[in-house]
Amino acid sequence: MAMMTQVDDLVGEAERLVRDQVWILSPRHRAVIVKAALDLHAAVGAPQIQKALPLRSRLEHLREALAAVAIALAHVHGHTAWFLGAAATALTPVLHWRALPADDGHAFGAVAPTPQQYAEAEEAVRRLQSALAHIASA
């Protein structure tokens, strides 16, 4: 399943749970989600900014976004942890990407993503950031 589809499905489920008051954020969890949203926004900028960056920087930013989700996950439990865990899982393809050539053929299985994959991953991070901000304000 494509990364953006996974994030959209995840966000849809999260928004339903919040709307139906199945997932009620504690003040501490709300603070963690707010920080994660800010960290994601700082990691991945607007599409025109990201596209202008070298591939190495784009990949670094995507990995920073994944790290922000993982750090937030380490501080929560219950619905918040389940949501962040699923978000981290959706973003894991970036862990198998490389921006540098593997001239010797030894890249530990890392592959060079296409420009479309970079764009999709960045859009998935933006969607996740927007959802976190919305959930935190609910």
Side-chain angles (χ1 to χ4, degrees):
M1 184 183 303
M3 190 181 308
M4 192 63 202
T5 302
Q6 288 179 346
V7 169
D8 276 340
D9 290 349
L10 175 63
V11 167
E13 181 180 356
E15 289 173 344
R16 279 188 301 281
L17 292 174
V18 169
R19 182 184 59 243
D20 295 345
Q21 296 185 348
V22 173
W23 180 13
I24 300 172
L25 291 172
S26 70
R28 188 172 67 77
H29 283 207
R30 189 175 310 280
V32 169
I33 285 183
V34 167
K35 181 169 181 349
L38 292 170
D39 290 346
L40 292 178
H41 181 71
V44 175
Q48 61 275 20
I49 293 170
Q50 289 301 120
K51 286 180 184 177
L53 295 173
L55 295 180
R56 183 174 164 185
S57 296
R58 290 176 77 176
L59 186 52
E60 287 172 359
H61 291 188
L62 287 167
R63 289 178 179 160
E64 287 173 23
L66 179 56
V69 172
I71 290 167
L73 173 59
H75 297 283
V76 294
H77 58 275
H79 285 92
T80 308
W82 303 333
F83 175 77
L84 292 171
T89 299
L91 298 177
T92 58
V94 304
L95 296 175
H96 303 286
W97 292 354
R98 62 179 170 82
L100 301 175
D103 296 330
D104 62 2
H106 301 286
F108 301 100
V111 298
T114 66
Q116 294 81 11
Q117 287 173 306
Y118 274 109
E120 180 187 15
E122 291 160 351
E123 190 56 34
V125 169
R126 286 185 205 96
R127 176 72 172 111
L128 185 57
Q129 182 275 327
S130 174
L132 288 171
H134 181 260
I135 290 166
S137 68

